[in-house]
Amino acid sequence: MNMIPIQHYLLVGAALFSIGLAIAITKRHFIGILLGIELMLNAVNINLVAFSRHDPEKLSGQLFSLFVIVVAAAEVTVALGIILRVYGRFRTVDPDEVSELKK
């Protein structure tokens, strides 16, 4: 069986994390920021599974990856609910336009 070296997984994970961080920092809409955070979580998942493949006797990396996926799904649900409420009140999804918490 041809095994891919762990460095390749880590390189892809680091690239995805960097792209996600750049997106989260530079986007002007809540949805774009949320997509950047999701990319960063997926990069963490790649690293966890890569380390789990490095030691096949332990499945802790795959279990942590499963927990990250569950937390990411819950985070998306809550974040989209908040975004919909903010849009309903302020009629924008631009974080700079939302300047007050109480009206």
Side-chain angles (χ1 to χ4, degrees):
M1 183 166 79
N2 191 2
M3 293 284 289
I4 299 172
I6 196 168
Q7 292 86 3
H8 293 187
Y9 289 107
L10 297 178
L11 185 63
V12 169
L16 266 181
F17 191 86
S18 300
I19 292 168
L21 183 63
I23 289 173
I25 290 174
T26 60
K27 286 296 178 182
R28 304 288 293 175
H29 297 287
F30 287 120
I31 303 292
I33 294 169
L34 185 62
L35 288 174
I37 292 171
E38 290 300 317
L39 267 179
M40 290 189 288
L41 288 173
N42 286 329
V44 170
N45 280 338
I46 289 174
N47 288 338
L48 286 172
V49 172
F51 283 123
S52 179
R53 267 189 77 179
H54 185 66
D55 187 11
E57 296 296 320
K58 296 182 180 180
L59 295 176
S60 59
Q62 292 176 1
L63 290 175
F64 279 129
S65 180
L66 183 64
F67 287 129
V68 169
I69 290 171
V70 169
V71 168
E75 176 244 338
V76 166
T77 303
V78 170
L80 285 177
I82 291 171
I83 290 169
L84 288 173
R85 292 291 292 171
V86 166
Y87 183 76
R89 169 164 246 135
F90 296 103
R91 297 286 181 226
T92 184
V93 290
D94 187 6
D96 293 333
E97 297 287 324
V98 181
S99 61
E100 58 189 41
L101 294 176
K102 191 173 183 182
K103 209 170 193 182

